[in-house]
Amino acid sequence: MKVPVKVDGRELALSNLDKVLYPEYGFTKAEIIDYYSRIAPVLLPHLEGRPLTVKRYPNGVTGQFFFEKNAPDHTPDWVRRVSLPVPGSTKNRETIDFAVVEDLPTLVYYANLAALELHVPQWRVDEDGAALPPDTLVFDLDPGPPATIVECTRVALMLREALKEEGLTAVPKTSGNKGMQLYADWDCREEPSAYAKRLAQLLAKEHPDEVVSVMAKKLRPGKVFIDWSQNNPAKTTVAPYSLRARERPTVSTPLTWKEVESCEDPDDLVFTAPDVLARVEKRGDLFRRA
C-alpha cells in the first residue's frame, strides 16, 4: 500500500511503512523515514554537493543488500543528479549519474527506498556538476579484535595531536559500526591520500603495539588499523548521522573530545537513532567545523 505525502511541496508515495527493517529492535521503515526527516537539518549540510552512494536493504538488515551509485531510472526529475566519470568501473560504465541529496524531499525519497546507509566522498561538485578538489581529510580507525572502539579512542587522541602539530583541527565521530573516524578540513597542501598514509605510517612506527597502517588482516589482531585510503577520490565514507545496518539502528555519531577521552567501554559510544535525535536537540551539530 502506497501513502501519498507532500514534503516541502514535492509529492512522494511512501510504501510498506509498517515493514520492520531492524527485526531485533522492531524498527520500521516509518521510523527510519521519521529519523531521517527529523535529523535532516544537521545531516543535509554534510551531504550538500557530495555525490551519493547508498546501501539499500529492501528486506531489512538481515536480508540481502546492495550498493547503489547510479540514481535509479525512476528517480524523480526534481532530485539533483550529476554525471561523473568512473574510471575502472566494474560495470564498464564511462559515467555514472549520481544523486546529490540537498533537500528534505530527496532524503525522504531515499529513506523510502530503504537506503539505510548514506556514503559520500571527501569532495563536492560545483553548481555545474564538476568535481571540486577534496575539502575534507578522513582517517577511518578500524579495530582488529579483541581491540574495540576503546582502543580506537586512544589512537584518535594520538592522531588529534599529530594533526594539531600540522595546523589541522580534527573532529571525531563513531562509524556506527565497530570503529570511529576523524575528519579535518583540508587545504589541498598535497594529495590527501599520500598525506594521510604518511601520517598513519608515522603513528604505526611510533606505536607498533597499538597501530597498523596496512590492511593485512594478519597484522591487525588487537591493534587499530588507520585506514588512510578513504581519501582516494573514488572512495566514500559513511556520512555523519547516517544509520548503519547493525542489529540495532545505530548511527554514525559526532562526538565531543571529552567523550573520546573518557571512553572506557565500547557501549559508551553506541548511539541509536532515538539517542542521536536527543543529542542533537540538546547539543546541536557537533560535526559542524565552521
Side-chain angles (χ1 to χ4, degrees):
M1 177 181 174
K2 292 190 176 183
V3 179
V5 296
K6 187 168 281 191
V7 181
D8 287 354
R10 302 294 190 187
E11 293 184 357
L12 292 164
L14 306 183
S15 61
N16 301 316
L17 294 176
D18 294 333
K19 190 170 187 176
V20 176
L21 297 184
Y22 289 84
E24 288 193 24
Y25 200 81
F27 208 64
T28 65
K29 189 199 270 194
E31 289 171 298
I32 289 161
I33 294 171
D34 177 69
Y35 167 74
Y36 274 125
S37 298
R38 294 168 61 191
I39 205 67
V42 292
L43 168 59
L44 287 173
H46 302 298
L47 300 178
E48 184 179 359
R50 300 192 189 274
L52 180 71
T53 297
V54 295
K55 283 179 77 174
R56 291 177 56 184
Y57 291 78
N59 294 307
V61 297
T62 57
Q64 290 188 323
F65 69 89
F66 58 95
F67 280 94
E68 189 168 69
K69 294 177 180 288
N70 209 47
D73 291 339
H74 54 75
T75 303
D77 291 341
W78 43 261
V79 172
R80 186 185 180 194
R81 277 167 283 191
V82 294
S83 183
L84 294 166
V86 282
S89 169
T90 57
K91 296 186 178 179
N92 295 318
R93 294 173 175 153
E94 291 187 3
T95 62
I96 283 181
D97 291 329
F98 289 89
V100 181
V101 179
E102 297 181 325
D103 55 35
L104 180 58
T106 304
L107 189 59
V108 171
Y109 169 75
Y110 270 98
N112 186 57
L113 294 181
L116 302 185
E117 297 191 7
L118 312 176
H119 296 247
V120 290
Q122 311 315 315
W123 48 273
R124 300 178 191 263
V125 295
D126 63 18
E127 291 181 359
D128 297 322
L132 295 168
D135 62 353
T136 305
L137 186 73
V138 64
F139 295 88
D140 187 33
L141 308 183
D142 185 17
T148 67
I149 198 170
V150 176
E151 284 73 25
C152 290
T153 61
R154 296 171 188 158
V155 175
L157 294 171
M158 299 174 197
L159 262 176
R160 177 182 66 173
E161 294 311 305
L163 290 165
K164 186 177 180 180
E165 290 178 6
E166 299 272 340
L168 298 171
T169 301
V171 292
K173 71 178 178 74
T174 71
S175 67
N177 195 340
K178 297 177 182 178
M180 61 183 295
Q181 287 121 11
L182 260 61
Y183 285 67
D185 289 334
W186 184 240
D187 53 14
C188 294
R189 61 184 69 177
E190 64 178 282
E191 199 280 319
S193 286
Y195 176 87
K197 181 179 181 179
R198 188 169 68 251
L199 204 56
Q201 290 175 330
L202 176 64
L203 287 183
K205 184 177 180 180
E206 292 178 347
H207 306 276
D209 294 333
E210 299 174 77
V211 178
V212 293
S213 62
V214 293
M215 202 171 288
K217 294 276 188 184
K218 64 182 180 181
L219 300 178
R220 291 164 60 180
K223 301 180 183 182
V224 174
F225 169 45
I226 302 179
D227 186 356
W228 46 267
S229 70
Q230 291 187 29
N231 293 285
N232 182 321
K235 291 196 172 186
T236 61
T237 307
V238 67
Y241 303 109
S242 172
L243 286 165
R244 300 308 303 268
R246 305 285 292 166
E247 294 82 6
R248 293 182 284 171
T250 55
V251 171
S252 182
T253 308
L255 302 169
T256 66
W257 279 112
K258 185 176 181 180
E259 288 174 313
V260 176
E261 292 163 358
S262 62
C263 177
E264 296 180 350
D265 185 277
D267 287 341
D268 291 346
L269 297 181
V270 176
F271 303 97
T272 62
D275 297 331
V276 171
L277 288 169
R279 282 170 66 87
V280 168
E281 184 174 353
K282 181 179 179 180
R283 304 184 181 193
D285 181 14
L286 292 174
F287 215 65
R288 188 173 57 190
R289 302 194 294 282

